[in-house]
């Protein structure tokens, strides 16, 4: 194991990996699916080796996940839970993570807010706000 780094703040913690799939049902049957019309995706969560995977299926032709599937990029993003989105963006911007969206409620996370950032070296990162981490 390498050193601990706080790219998103000292209380940030790993939440899940997002994996693009053509069909959640064909990938892993029996999962509970959540439709997120704002993100244009259907998602389902599963545990694998003690970690959470988010299976992401495109919802229609305009879904951003279609490009991942076309390019063969199955690993879409990793998600980090943070106590405060604005603070996390301020911290990660020092490591060249640029926000590419505004904070918005996410259906898959009981309307907790998410925000997307991008870094040329790390790729796409979803920040998920969890106010309980601030305590």
């Amino acid at each position: 194991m390498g050193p601990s780094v706080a790219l998103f703040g000292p209380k940030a913690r790993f939440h899940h990996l997002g994996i693009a799939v053509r069909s959640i049902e064909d990938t892993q049957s029996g999962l509970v699916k959540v439709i997120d019309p704002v993100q244009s995706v259907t998602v389902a969560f599963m545990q694998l080796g003690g970690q959470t995977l988010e299976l992401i299926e495109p919802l229609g032709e305009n879904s951003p996940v279609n490009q991942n599937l076309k390019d063969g990029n199955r690993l879409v993003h990793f998600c980090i839970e943070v106590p405060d989105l604005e603070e996390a963006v301020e911290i990660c911007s020092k490591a060249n993570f640029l926000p590419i969206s505004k904070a918005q409620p996410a259906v898959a996370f009981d309307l907790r807010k998410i925000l997307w950032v991008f870094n040329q070296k790390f790729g796409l990162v979803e920040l998920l706000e969890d106010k309980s981490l601030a305590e």
Side-chain angles (χ1 to χ4, degrees):
M1 301 274 277
S4 177
V5 293
L7 292 176
F8 304 98
K11 293 186 177 183
R13 65 181 181 197
F14 176 81
H15 191 268
H16 70 266
L17 288 176
I19 309 293
V21 298
R22 294 202 187 284
S23 166
I24 291 169
E25 190 64 30
D26 289 348
T27 303
Q28 183 65 49
S29 64
L31 298 177
V32 175
K33 298 178 200 172
V34 177
I35 296 172
D36 187 338
V38 174
Q39 303 288 324
S40 295
V41 295
T42 299
V43 301
F45 293 90
M46 61 184 269
Q47 296 296 308
L48 179 66
Q51 299 299 316
T52 302
L53 295 182
E54 177 186 32
L55 301 181
I56 311 166
E57 176 184 310
L59 183 63
E61 292 180 24
N62 294 326
S63 175
V65 177
N66 283 324
Q67 189 64 47
N68 289 84
L69 292 168
K70 180 181 174 189
D71 295 343
N73 297 327
R74 300 293 183 175
L75 179 58
V76 175
H77 69 271
F78 65 94
C79 178
I80 302 292
E81 230 170 0
V82 297
D84 182 278
L85 289 176
E86 289 180 25
E87 180 183 16
V89 168
E90 185 178 317
I91 292 167
C92 74
S93 68
K94 295 172 186 167
N96 298 315
F97 284 87
L98 303 173
I100 60 170
S101 75
K102 294 182 179 182
Q104 57 189 343
V107 175
F109 302 112
D110 298 321
L111 301 181
R112 287 192 286 160
K113 289 183 180 177
I114 62 168
L115 185 143
W116 297 93
V117 295
F118 182 80
N119 175 287
Q120 286 288 336
K121 295 176 184 168
F122 286 90
L124 186 62
V125 178
E126 179 180 27
L127 300 178
L128 171 61
E129 192 165 59
D130 184 347
K131 294 289 189 186
S132 71
L133 293 176
E135 299 168 354

